[in-house]
Amino acid sequence: MDHVINKLTPAARSSDAAGEPVRAVLRPSREEAEAAVRVLLGYLGDDPDREGLLDTPRRVVSAYDELYGGYRERPADVLDRTFSEIGTYDDIVLVRDIPFSSHCEHHMMPFVGKAHVGYLPVERVVGLSKIARLIDIFARRLQTQERLSSQIVTEIDTVLKPRGVAVMLEAEHTCMSMRGVQKAGSSTITTQFTGVFRDDPKEQFRFINLVRNGIG
């Protein structure tokens, strides 16, 4: 699936998860974005010129700059520094219960949950905070949970070249809990595996057991 990366953010223009094509488009100006918010306020049935809404377009665009800041960052840069002083360690590195929030690309409504990421290193490891940062970069874009899972796995697999990567995401989607079927409390789980985790069911089970019970 093509990614829309605007021409004004060259740092974000290289491939995201390795191999995904990038399609550049011209980014509208801030003034145009604020004008679009005014149109939406009118469409909702409110008066964009009333006192309480006068500054809303500016605030909304500023919020979007933060919520969708992942379009202006390169995921590979987060993983570019690794550490080799790990002795003979070659077992799983697991970071679990990483909070994340994103927005579905279908309704632009939030989905919020936790990510669990494990990998089997080959001689080098990456700082644990970098994994959380990688998730944030991809999550701060319009997403589906399935693609978000794939992007995290592919980037780690491509840059670190471990023996295997395992990712599990658990999230509640407000496009399902607040609208449509309105089933609050339902959660969606996605998993993806590469290498040893994909090929060996025992390693998959160990990853899931570590995530659920803290026991491998």
Side-chain angles (χ1 to χ4, degrees), residues 14-74:
S14 63
S15 61
D16 290 345
E20 291 196 8
V22 173
R23 178 167 52 89
V25 297
L26 183 63
R27 184 183 188 185
S29 69
R30 185 181 184 91
E31 290 75 17
E32 289 172 317
E34 291 182 7
V37 175
R38 285 180 55 85
V39 170
L40 286 174
L41 290 173
Y43 175 77
L44 295 177
D46 214 323
D47 177 8
D49 291 319
R50 71 176 176 84
E51 182 181 7
L53 295 179
L54 282 176
D55 210 27
T56 295
R58 181 192 63 80
R59 293 191 184 104
V60 169
V61 173
S62 293
Y64 272 27
D65 283 342
E66 180 179 352
L67 293 172
Y68 299 108
Y71 285 113
R72 299 185 295 278
E73 298 185 69
R74 277 173 39 90

Side-chain angles (χ1 to χ4, degrees), residues 128-140:
L128 301 179
S129 65
K130 303 299 185 182
I131 295 176
R133 183 67 188 133
L134 178 70
I135 294 168
D136 280 345
I137 289 176
F138 284 126
R140 289 176 182 172

Side-chain angles (χ1 to χ4, degrees), residues 2 4 14 30 35 37 43 51 60 66-68 73-74 93 95 103 106 108 127 131 137 151-152 165 174 188 193 203:
D2 286 357
V4 178
S14 63
R30 185 181 184 91
V37 175
Y43 175 77
E51 182 181 7
V60 169
E66 180 179 352
L67 293 172
Y68 299 108
E73 298 185 69
R74 277 173 39 90
V93 177
V95 186
H103 288 77
H106 303 131
M108 294 185 71
I131 295 176
I137 289 176
Q151 289 175 327
I152 296 166
V165 183
T174 58
T188 299
F193 305 98
E203 288 299 321

Side-chain angles (χ1 to χ4, degrees), residues 137-206:
I137 289 176
F138 284 126
R140 289 176 182 172
R141 303 177 181 187
L142 292 173
Q143 282 289 8
T144 65
Q145 186 172 325
E146 296 86 347
R147 186 170 70 220
L148 178 59
S149 304
S150 175
Q151 289 175 327
I152 296 166
V153 165
T154 303
E155 200 69 39
I156 294 173
D157 201 40
T158 301
V159 177
L160 299 184
K161 296 179 171 56
R163 291 187 291 126
V165 183
V167 167
M168 176 188 292
L169 302 185
E170 304 176 82
E172 180 172 353
H173 293 245
T174 58
C175 58
M176 181 177 176
S177 63
M178 294 180 63
R179 59 160 299 280
V181 294
Q182 299 186 22
K183 300 299 181 183
S186 60
S187 61
T188 299
I189 298 175
T190 52
T191 60
Q192 188 160 339
F193 305 98
T194 69
V196 174
F197 291 108
R198 178 192 60 217
D199 300 333
D200 188 345
K202 292 181 181 178
E203 288 299 321
Q204 285 189 30
F205 175 80
R206 187 161 76 104

